Amino acid sequence: MTGPVLRYRNAGIEIGGRSLVRGVDLEVHRNEIVALVGESGSGKTLTALSTLGLLPPTARFTADEAVLNGHDLRGLRTEGDWRALRGSDVGIVFQEPLSSLNPVLTIGDQIGEVLRYKRGMPRRQRRTEAADLLARMHLARPAELLDEYPHQLSGGMRQRVMLAIAMAGEPSLLVADEPTTALDNSVQAQVLELIVETAEQTGVGVLFITHDLSVVAQVADRVAVMRGGEILESAPVGRLFKAPEDDYTRRLIRLAPKVPAVMRDASLAQPAPPAPKPLLELRGITKRYSAGWRGQGTLALDNVSLMVNEGETLGLVGESGSGKSSLARIVTGLARPDSGTALFDGRDLFASTDNSDLQMVFQDPFSSLNPRMRIGDSIVEPLRARGMRRGALRDRAADLLETVGLRSAMFDRLPHELSGGQRQRVGIARALSVKPRLLICDEPVSALDVSVQADILALLERLRAEFRLTTIFIAHGLDSIYSVSDRVAVMQKGRVVEEGPRDAVFGAPQHDYTRRLLGAILDSDPDNSRFRRREETL
Amino acid sequence: MTDMTETRRAGFFRALLSSRAGMLGAGLLALIVLAALLADWLPIANPTRRSLAIRLLPPIWAEGGVPAHLLGTDAQGRDILARIVHGARSSLIVGMAAVALSGLIGMVLGLIAGMRGGIVDIVLMRIVDAILAIPTMLFMLVVALVAGTGIAPLVLVIAATNWVNYTRIVRAEVLRVKDMDFVAAARISRVGTIPLMLRHIVPNILPAFVVVATLNVGSVILTESSLSFLGFGIQPPAISWGQMLSEGREVLATSWWVSTFPGVALTLTVFSIILLGDWLRDHLDPRLP
Amino acid sequence: MILRALGRFVLQAVPVLYIVSLIVFVLVYLTGDPTVMLIPEDATEADRLRLVAAWGLDQPAHVQYLRYMGNLLRGDFGQSYYYGTSALPVVLERLPATLLLTAGAMVVAIVIAVPAGIFAALRRNTPVDFAVSGMAVLSKAMPNFWVGIMLILIFGVQLRLLPVSGAGSFAHLILPAVTLGTAFAGDLAKLVRASLLEALGQDYIRTARAKGIPSSVIVLKHALRNAAIPAVTMTSLNVIALLGGALITETVFAWPGLGQLVVQAIYTKDMAVIQIAILVITVMTLLINFITDLLYRLIDPRIRL
Amino acid sequence: MVYRLTSRWNAVPRPAESAAHREMKMTTTRRNVLRLLGSSALAPVVLSVPFAGAALAQAQQVLTIAQSNDILSLDPANHGNNSTESALINIYDYLVRKEFTDGQMHFEPNLALSWETEDQIRWTFDLRDDVKWHDGTPFTAEDVKFTVERTQGDSSLRNTSKFHTIAEVNVLGPHRLEVVTDGRDPLLLHAFVGNGSLIIPKHAFEAAADAEAFFASPIGTGAYRFGRWQRGDRLILERNDDWWGGAPHWNQVVIRGIPETSTRVAELLTGGADIATNIPPEDIERVTGNGATDIASFNIARNFALHVRNEEGFVTHDPRVREAIDLAINREEITQYILAGYGTPTRGLYPPEIPGYNPDLSADGAYDPDRAIELIEEAGAEGAEIVVNTPSGRWVKDREVAEAVVGYLQDIGLNARIEVLDWSVLNDRLQSDSLAEIYLWGMGSYIDASHLLNLGLLERFNPHWTDAEFEKLSGEVGDAATEEDRVAILRRAQQIITDARVRIGILYPKGIYGVSDRVVFPGRFDEMIPAEQVRLA
């Protein structure tokens, strides 16, 4: 066995005089998956990009040693120098499969390009080889796929295509930059499995970038934890999870999702508490979105009936396109259903003109705040709409800001001056300003870093009790709602396929789809890895 | 916290100062606007006094030029420099007034089309399509018959056809903004339509709007000169660059200065506006590179 | 798919055409009695009234409109007062010259702007880029008639390289096409530069770079095609603008296009000609939009008709 | 689609261009030979039958005329446009011709060899018997009768009133006819010249489906046959070898409409046009200094006059103010500076070539600003606001003349300003009587000075002015016993209206053409350009 595929010693990256990555030591060997874990801004992606020379033009890369497959990366200056290495020595899979594939070129073209320039294959042979690559990525009807465009593929398929492109040049190092973050949970597992399998079959060394410790636990052989541009700790995966040395690592491990015990032992299920009176009752809600002047349209909601009881939290789970957001829009009055009724506390919900019963916390902390409005004004807007006097508003805003853990002096700030977590707090403050009875949280933490997620969830939990809120908590995977829900409803293709007390759903799922979602939950315990296939080598 | 606003404003100027093109545009334009404003107090000749005896004097540096007429005189013996300075007024007034008027109409209708949607939107946009097909000249003739010729009717005419561009842009921007979560949040809170538009929609489409409007001032000034070429622009006794250019082209081959200097003034003005507009776009509108 | 697009095209065209014809009728009616412009200078009021009666202009507006629309539905496009002949051929015979000039101008613009835009984008923030931007702005800031007359003086009168005016041969097309094309090339070059830069900043370009393929392939194959949509949009908008409005260039070069005809007709309140010309322009506009949609589809497989 | 159009466009034959290019490439030797041949053919009478030998050589020649206006119609009875008429006279013929030799207007035979009348009511015309239409059919008196009756009978034609004095036309023989007017008409011959008078063929017109079909490819009796017409661009005429006047001089005549002055001049300078009409005074130097082109300037049937409001409610109601305006204007200066001398200052309304013009209305001593200031003071009109309306670009230097007038009015203490109106707007406001105190008008193309006494016309241009004597004269002029009496009445009428200062004559502009040295054309008073009167140099 030769030396490592990639070796960094004391690597650093500077952009505009600011040191973003420092003192990084890293090694990836053949047939090994090394995970680089960290939250946004930790420098993990920059480090990954530095292996391909894809850093921004203003960035400066320094290292005592930087060797990729025998090439000294420090000597590479021009795009031309790097071109020789890219594709053939190192390949990469990016996070967002849709935007990373060229939308106007066929799949075959995008793979064939690598074969042509990296392996000098003649045209006819390229096609066969490309189809072969796709088949190896377990894609059905590979020959037909060659003539299709990225938008015609599902997210999981696209990521397989990306992997095929990355592997087409037969690289020694594969960089996977959050390859499953943008995918639905049920697909995530398959793609992870494929990466593991590819590494196993080709012996390629994998540098796996992620923020998700449960993914790390499932696939990695070794782990390096990054924070603030430095590697805090590096260890074989088992040792890291069992005996983390750094506080930060410990915290990450603590916050990482675990498979609920009830899933392994249904007898642990606790009986559902007696149902108090229902607060929201949806019956037969159907919504169809028309598609132009002759199209059939898509059925977003198909005869959905759902109940939310006073004081409880309903976890509403569904993958993208399942109709959960449409349901939220209808409940909040943003859209009208084509048919169906809704009772809120016994009254017709759709006839309501008051805003104090229902409020919502949005997923994207960037777009949920008006970028041109001071955050104080955003917070009190619901009150203003109810006619509260101007003088009282400012005091109320100050109270609310402190309630959600922000300084009242932030009233005059604009959203772009705040961090994502702060923005989400503002969104929560706005929703609470009118003391609503029902709060809809649409994936309120999925856009945030792991450590921030915990804070926001804790805040929501505290406020739920304080304001005696009934909550609908929307999520795309079951893993993120176990800890917050009393009851769970699972949606698929516009229908509610399963609804019940939390432990009943997790412990004894009735519907296939629910089972599939449960199966997609990754455990952040390396001992429970479903993919790793061998004993640790180091 | 006003210091925050001031910081932002200072940031705006610092950004302007750091952009060579933006500075060039802003500086030139400021100079032109200043000259137009101060036209009556500048030590220049009376722009309308004609004297056939001194017609077509060349600029001072050419043979036969006289110090009293730095840039020479036109076919009526009027001082070209003075006419350019005074003409700046009409050109700028037409540019700004027409843009303001059409922007206002376009903003209101674009908001209505974008916010209401449905049949209102369809009908409005079909009318927009229709207006685009109708030549400005036809409006010009109607307005000239009804309201006569002059700066105000000219502004009216340009606005009558120009508003459609704004309607389209505003509508497109409204459609972009109105699906954003913060608008949804306001709607959930039952914020009324008017406050919703004023507080959430308008402030967010304003940057794109301002950029388009700035660039539009330049094209409107060019439109005025084109209309002058066709005999429909600003008519004497008012002075405009378009009119000077159009008059001067009759003597272009023999007395180049008569049309060249107003042409240079026009080109410089439009140039500066475009520079400034381009910079504004880069600075204000993060959606464009 | 194409049928559906055609259907939409027709559905869109009919109301627009109707609105256009109504607005035009009202506007032309407001400009007053065409006989005022058309009678000989030495004609008396009695002579004029005879014409008014003969042309039916003494009837109320709505009667005139209904009569006009009625004739139109029967396929009678009306008489040109000014040319004293059927209005339809008067308009249609201008179409080839207009289309030719439009096409010529577009070719000039594209030939200048696309390479300039690519060059500027690749040499971003270098003197080359600034020069291209400066030229682009300047070309837009110069009035068309000025450029046209200058081109005539230089290439026609001084150098005697090209014919001064008129239509007929390829040589005749060059100067007017350059006049119009350069005016538009500036904007187009800026747009090509901007959209190319935007495309070059996309994730898929990073992917392409990560593949290690040559830069020329990245720019020409990956980026340019993605950057083409805005350029196509702008070109189609300019084609539309030129179809009805190359007026000034047409006048300067005595080019027998629609613009001159329309203005002449507006001057003389020649209702039938104005109506038909504008309807023709509108139909062409919608057609161009339709073709543009097809082009979008060709360029970008994501766009469905 | 565009591609197909392009190829079709290119496929169109372009005789004018190709011929012009051939011409440019011709060697000096050949050119000299041609010039020699041409000069030998330069006959004293312009329309004489040319020397047969020369005709052959000239048959190779193309004449290109660049006019400032587009040709509107090939129907002589349905246009009101001099440029159009100037083109049509090459295809069709008049019954009689007007010529202006020695500064006098007189009629000459054309399709009619002779004419006579006893009472100016019954007129007999003897027509040429050797005239053939372009399709070979002989021309007869029936064609004349048909032309008159068609024009009279179709009230939608713009020149429908051209023959309004004619009661009947009687065919006396194949080449003899009688015209009967509804009362004495000393001006009948004028009706057979000018817009609407060209004779069209009865047989061909009636054979065609409709007028449009006929004029799509019209035939006439003229020296040139219709070739091709591209509206907005050019009319191409081909020689008619069977012309009754002999073999035409030019193989082909191309008449182009080029509205933009600088382009027209450029075409002339580059050899793209042999004659370019309406050269602005500023460009004269370029044309004369070019070495290959020159200027032809000549008197034309047009005058510039200020039409002044005289009714109550306007400061110009006061005759003293109107007189002051008359005295304030320095006509010499305007002519000299604005028209570069290409005009004649005057107080009159009809130039000398026009029968019945008044020689007393000269500009001599007409400029007296001091007296004008006195009059303004007497009238108490100091600082009174006066607006002068003018079109811009309708007539040579119209706006500039009006601007100069405004300057003179300011000099005598009036608060004058100009209001330039678009031609269409100006006409509309003229029609609705809503123009300002003064408007500038360049009246032209008149038959003779009796034009002034047409009260219908007077009402159009001076709707509020009446004068008992003037009206009396208007009634009498048709019955004047002799031509001298008639002329006396016409002169008196001009005196009355100019003394009233409701029309203040300013100048007679001259026609200015650019003419290539390759051809000779002196210009005509009626601004027509008959190709047969243009000769190779």
Side-chain angles (χ1 to χ4, degrees), chain D residues 416-528:
Chain D
R417 74 183 165 84
I418 192 171
E419 185 191 7
V420 179
L421 296 177
D422 165 65
W423 178 239
S424 156
V425 176
L426 183 75
N427 273 280
D428 226 80
R429 287 183 52 185
L430 177 66
Q431 174 71 24
S432 59
D433 190 21
S434 54
L435 287 167
E437 285 84 359
I438 299 175
Y439 68 91
L440 178 78
W441 196 270
M443 195 87 73
S445 301
Y446 15 61
I447 291 167
D448 79 347
S450 67
H451 168 264
L452 184 64
L453 284 167
N454 180 337
L455 294 184
L457 261 182
L458 183 72
E459 203 196 329
R460 229 181 112 194
F461 289 99
N462 296 83
H464 299 278
W465 181 71
T466 50
D467 180 274
E469 189 189 352
F470 192 88
E471 281 186 20
K472 192 163 87 35
L473 293 174
S474 171
E476 289 170 2
V477 68
D479 299 322
T482 65
E483 187 61 16
E484 285 71 34
D485 290 351
R486 215 175 69 86
V487 166
I489 290 172
L490 297 177
R491 288 185 174 167
R492 177 64 196 144
Q494 289 163 60
Q495 195 71 53
I496 293 171
I497 199 167
T498 46
D499 281 353
R501 271 94 182 184
V502 291
R503 284 195 200 176
I504 299 173
I506 304 223
L507 56 89
Y508 303 130
K510 280 185 192 290
I512 311 176
Y513 289 176
V515 181
S516 160
D517 287 351
R518 165 184 176 244
V519 303
V520 173
F521 182 65
R524 286 172 55 95
F525 183 69
D526 60 5
E527 297 180 76
M528 295 293 109

Side-chain angles (χ1 to χ4, degrees), chain C residues 22 34 37 40 42 46 48 53 57 101 124 133 149 157 171 182 235 246 249 261-263 274 305:
Chain C
L22 184 62
M37 286 292 292
D42 56 358
R48 195 180 70 80
L57 298 169
L101 181 55
R124 192 182 179 183
S133 298
I149 292 174
V157 180
T182 49
T235 306
T249 309
L261 177 77
V262 172
V263 167
I274 304 176
L305 285 170

Side-chain angles (χ1 to χ4, degrees), chain A residues 379-380 383 395-405 429 432-433 467:
Chain A
I379 289 173
V380 296
L383 289 169
D395 295 341
R396 188 79 188 93
D399 288 350
L400 283 163
L401 279 167
E402 294 189 354
T403 304
V404 296
L432 295 180
S433 66
F467 285 77

Side-chain angles (χ1 to χ4, degrees), chain D residues 76 84 106 138 164 179 322 359 371 389 434 440 442 446 460 469:
Chain D
T84 303
H106 53 89
H164 69 281
V179 175
R322 301 205 297 272
R371 175 68 191 136
N389 287 142
S434 54
L440 178 78
Y446 15 61
R460 229 181 112 194
E469 189 189 352

Side-chain angles (χ1 to χ4, degrees), chain C residues 175-212:
Chain C
L175 290 185
V178 167
T179 305
L180 284 173
T182 49
F184 160 53
D187 269 355
L188 189 61
K190 274 164 64 185
L191 186 76
V192 168
R193 173 186 179 274
S195 30
L196 193 62
L197 281 176
E198 187 181 353
L200 286 171
Q202 295 297 316
D203 286 352
Y204 53 75
I205 296 296
R206 195 176 54 177
T207 306
R209 286 176 63 200
K211 290 175 180 176

